[in-house]
Amino acid sequence: MVSRVIPVDDFDLVIFGGTGDLARRKILPGLFRRFMAGQMPASSRIIGAARSELDQDGYQKEVAKALEEFLPKDARPKDQVTAFLETLDYVAIDAMGEGGWDTLSKKLRPDVIRAFYFSVAPSLFGALAERLHGHACAGPSCRIVVEKPFGRDLASAKELNKTLRDHFDERQIYRIDHYLGKETVQNLMAVRFGNVLFEPLWNAQHVDHVQITVSESVGVDGRGAYYDKSGAMRDMVQNHLMQLLCLTAMEPPSRFDPDAVRDEKLKVIRALDPVDPDDIVRGQYTSPEKGKGYLEQVEDPNSRTESFIAMKIAVSNWRWAGVPFYLRTGKRLKARNSEIAIVFKEVPHSIFDQDEARHRNVLTIRLQPNEGMDLSVTIKEPGPGGMRLVDVPLDMSFAEALGPDAEDVPDAYERLIMDVIRGNQTLFMRGDEVEAAWAWTDPLIKGWTERGDRPVTYETGSTGPEEAAMLLHREGRRWREIKP
Ligand code: BG6
């Protein structure tokens, strides 16, 4: 298969927070990979902007170090690194003051695409937006990119939206949820809407339930201060898992265009019922190793923040009435393993007398590791001895099916940044979507906070608390295995 990389138009990209962790770990290595793939025109420029007093040369050296740290040696040929570094410039800027803004304004070229990446604390968004306009850096065709967390509740998300919309049109605002940039997540749309096979079955008549799992083996480690104020609900469910749920449950959009897709996702969020407290399990990991338990990794030894959450959600519409969506995500679990599983109903009547087992087709969309899909089908167990049935996977690993092309799949950030330059908002969250997600999330968090609920504990390396298993057991179902 021949890889088709379509170069984007010439651009100036300013990264506010250009020396920060996200820029070093994800944004710059991602841009370098797109540069290597020939997608980023050599004339394009990336301008780091931060408080540090660096010059262009100093910034290039910083970025060279970041590439060394975050990319394997064979992924950064020297000549390519040198050419990429030449696209970099730097401005020392004072986000809250006036220093550096005129310099930035002079560096920006007319007539090329202009994008500003706000990789800074949300409290600075307003100041940055104001100064971009005040110093004639922002025009009607420029774009801004903002990171999560987009607020910590509905009120703060509304406030952030207002701050940004005071200065930019919604079509200029790109709210990143990096899960939408993952290859398999987009494949979910291709599978649903590019095939006739699945869509007729994709409803309450044929689907028994849906499981969405995002399991991580890492803990909160160095991020305790941030994480303890968020917890799994704010850090993962309100955004990433919500997006997965939307793409799984939404109606077919009329076109693959930003508003058509986002309108359908919004309808799903608005159709979510409030969740009964009995349908939520919150957990905190413990560890026999000193210093590795959740409570030892955050400041507050009595913290009630959850590092794991499992819940049963109802999507109240014609398509999904009565079909539970089970979501779970947590840190320090058995393995890094994320998937969406559509578990279909059993056949209405089994003609095979000897078969007592329950057979269900399951379509699994694997996000990580080993991106791909499998569909388990029921067949006859080989050999004599009657009609015994067995479930086997019809496996499709992207790596196997697509060969080397699959290995060169851009990582989520790379793809999303290129979409910003192309001006394609399909994989970015619209302001009303984010607000609707908070409107559903807020009462749940308020409920457990007011009740003073304490998370239950689970062991590091396990599949989560026993109570989460019970959530499904009591309904005659069980979670899919979390496999290393
Ligand atoms: C981030 C969360 O948004 O996503 C982290 O803040 C989490 O807590 C991360 O670890 C997971 O992303 P990925 O791509 O590794 O699944």
Side-chain angles (χ1 to χ4, degrees):
M1 209 167 295
V2 182
S3 166
R4 280 181 299 138
V5 173
I6 304 168
V8 294
D9 291 337
D10 197 6
F11 64 85
D12 283 349
L13 169 68
V14 180
I15 309 174
F16 293 108
T19 53
D21 186 56
L22 184 72
R24 300 181 70 251
R25 227 164 12 95
K26 292 279 179 194
I27 306 174
L28 289 155
L31 283 161
F32 171 65
R33 279 180 37 97
R34 291 298 90 210
F35 179 85
M36 282 236 309
Q39 195 160 22
M40 185 179 141
S43 51
S44 300
R45 287 186 331 178
I46 299 161
I47 305 173
R51 253 183 321 203
S52 320
E53 286 297 336
L54 289 172
D55 57 11
Q56 182 179 20
D57 188 47
Y59 189 57
Q60 288 174 342
K61 288 199 176 103
E62 285 293 313
V63 176
K65 271 195 247 160
L67 299 185
E68 259 173 51
E69 195 177 338
F70 296 107
L71 289 173
K73 194 154 192 235
D74 58 356
R76 44 182 166 84
K78 222 169 162 197
D79 53 332
Q80 295 273 4
V81 172
T82 311
F84 175 71
L85 293 179
E86 274 165 25
T87 68
L88 299 177
D89 202 346
Y90 184 80
V91 187
I93 214 148
D94 178 5
M96 304 299 281
E98 296 308 313
W101 288 94
D102 285 336
T103 319
L104 175 63
S105 168
K106 282 191 202 118
K107 283 186 190 284
L108 295 169
R109 295 171 295 164
D111 308 324
V112 299
I113 292 162
R114 202 175 277 184
F116 301 99
Y117 202 126
F118 289 11
S119 179
V120 294
S123 54
L124 295 179
F125 289 179
L128 289 182
E130 245 165 59
R131 284 164 183 74
L132 282 174
H133 282 283
H135 293 269
C137 297
S141 64
C142 78
R143 289 129 216 203
I144 59 163
V145 186
V146 293
E147 272 294 326
K148 82 171 251 275
F150 200 86
R152 55 174 285 104
D153 52 21
L154 178 58
S156 54
K158 278 189 168 166
E159 176 103 31
L160 268 183
N161 272 335
K162 181 174 176 321
T163 306
L164 296 177
R165 287 185 192 136
D166 279 347
H167 302 278
F168 300 96
D169 272 0
E170 181 64 34
R171 65 176 175 80
Q172 296 178 279
I173 307 172
Y174 289 70
R175 296 175 193 80
I176 284 208
D177 181 316
H178 79 279
Y179 265 57
L180 288 177
K182 288 185 191 273
E183 188 70 8
T184 347
V185 174
Q186 294 168 67
N187 238 315
L188 180 56
M189 283 190 274
V191 165
R192 283 194 62 192
F193 308 128
N195 295 281
V196 291
L197 279 183
F198 301 110
E199 208 42 33
L201 306 177
W202 210 267
N203 53 46
Q205 208 187 333
H206 300 287
V207 175
D208 180 75
H209 70 278
V210 175
Q211 295 188 19
I212 301 182
T213 298
V214 177
S215 152
E216 297 188 274
S217 51
V218 294
V220 298
D221 307 318
R223 298 167 75 220
Y226 150 77
Y227 192 89
D228 203 41
K229 292 202 172 59
S230 303
M233 186 68 171
R234 287 191 173 97
D235 186 52
M236 297 293 287
V237 177
Q238 186 274 344
N239 37 72
H240 305 326
L241 276 85
M242 179 67 74
Q243 290 297 325
L244 300 182
L245 168 69
C246 284
L247 294 176
T248 308
M250 73 183 186
E251 294 300 314
S254 54
R255 291 174 308 281
F256 189 57
D257 89 14
D259 280 328
V261 172
R262 297 186 299 178
D263 286 347
E264 295 306 335
K265 288 198 291 165
L266 179 61
K267 284 188 214 160
V268 173
I269 306 176
R270 291 191 173 150
L272 299 182
D273 279 354
V275 184
D276 189 309
D278 286 345
D279 290 338
I280 305 177
V281 176
R282 294 162 61 242
Q284 257 178 7
Y285 59 82
T286 57
S287 170
E289 246 184 284
K290 205 168 157 19
K292 298 279 187 190
Y294 181 81
L295 291 178
E296 299 162 277
Q297 296 188 319
V298 296
E299 210 170 284
D300 176 6
N302 290 311
S303 167
R304 296 185 177 191
T305 303
E306 73 287 351
S307 60
F308 173 97
I309 190 164
M311 60 207 306
K312 175 178 154 187
I313 296 181
V315 183
S316 274
N317 59 22
W318 274 48
R319 186 187 280 264
W320 296 116
V323 179
F325 281 69
Y326 299 103
L327 266 54
R328 69 179 159 164
T329 182
K331 298 215 179 277
R332 279 278 150 77
L333 295 176
K334 190 173 168 194
R336 180 171 193 249
N337 183 326
S338 304
E339 61 170 40
I340 302 169
I342 316 293
V343 182
F344 291 93
K345 291 190 171 163
E346 290 169 43
V347 290
H349 163 71
S350 174
I351 61 167
F352 306 109
D353 292 342
Q354 303 167 22
D355 189 56
E356 281 159 16
R358 308 176 78 180
H359 298 282
R360 282 178 174 158
N361 299 120
V362 182
L363 174 69
T364 314
I365 296 122
R366 291 189 304 268
L367 268 63
Q368 53 206 21
N370 184 21
E371 301 196 323
M373 234 169 256
D374 66 46
L375 176 64
S376 81
V377 290
T378 304
I379 58 163
K380 179 190 167 300
E381 205 177 288
M387 195 64 156
R388 287 187 313 272
L389 302 186
V390 59
D391 298 330
V392 295
L394 273 183
D395 194 355
M396 192 184 106
S397 146
F398 295 158
E400 277 168 33
L402 303 176
D405 270 3
E407 285 159 28
D408 206 29
V409 167
D411 125 302
Y413 272 92
E414 296 170 38
R415 169 188 311 271
L416 293 174
I417 298 171
M418 289 298 110
D419 276 356
V420 172
I421 307 299
R422 278 189 282 253
N424 184 347
Q425 287 186 307
T426 311
L427 299 176
F428 295 83
M429 292 177 297
R430 209 168 53 191
D432 51 2
E433 250 184 278
V434 179
E435 288 182 15
W438 279 121
W440 174 81
T441 310
D442 272 5
L444 307 185
I445 298 181
K446 193 162 166 243
W448 69 61
T449 311
E450 283 178 359
R451 288 191 303 274
D453 292 355
R454 263 191 188 287
V456 292
T457 55
Y458 62 97
E459 270 172 42
T460 289
S462 68
T463 55
E466 189 52 30
E467 288 80 350
M470 286 308 298
L471 191 66
L472 270 72
H473 277 180
R474 68 183 192 202
E475 295 175 353
R477 302 183 171 106
R478 64 179 136 109
W479 288 108
R480 289 171 51 77
E481 208 186 325
I482 294 180
K483 289 192 208 121

